[in-house]
Amino acid sequence: MKESLLEILCCPLDKHELELEDAEYETDEDDSEEIIDGTLVCEECGERYPLEDGIPNLLPPDMREESPA
């Protein structure tokens, strides 16, 4: 995920901004960094959304499946 995407992502529950925590980066072919793992945290309600393999899981907590695919 490109870091610039953080500017448009918001919490699906209350539409507040998300903050990136524990980010891991990887450099791609054109020497730009992409976020590959981390956690997105809502600044307002504190809900946490996992970011794995560069894909943010923004499903509400009750709809998320915690087991790997």
Side-chain angles (χ1 to χ4, degrees):
M1 178 180 99
K2 299 280 185 195
E3 195 159 0
S4 60
L5 187 58
L6 288 173
E7 296 173 17
I8 61 172
L9 289 177
C10 65
C11 178
L13 299 177
D14 61 17
K15 309 301 184 231
H16 284 91
E17 290 185 21
L18 296 171
E19 182 178 311
L20 180 64
E21 291 184 355
D22 304 322
E24 292 182 30
Y25 293 86
E26 183 175 86
T27 304
D28 59 14
E29 300 84 35
D30 62 353
D31 290 332
S32 63
E33 283 192 337
E34 292 208 18
I35 305 165
I36 56 168
D37 282 304
T39 304
L40 297 169
V41 181
C42 177
E43 295 178 350
E44 185 67 22
C45 71
E47 188 59 52
R48 302 173 72 78
Y49 301 94
L51 193 150
E52 297 173 351
D53 297 323
I55 302 169
N57 183 347
L58 296 177
L59 287 173
D62 59 338
M63 296 180 73
R64 251 183 262 150
E65 185 177 321
E66 294 297 327
S67 64

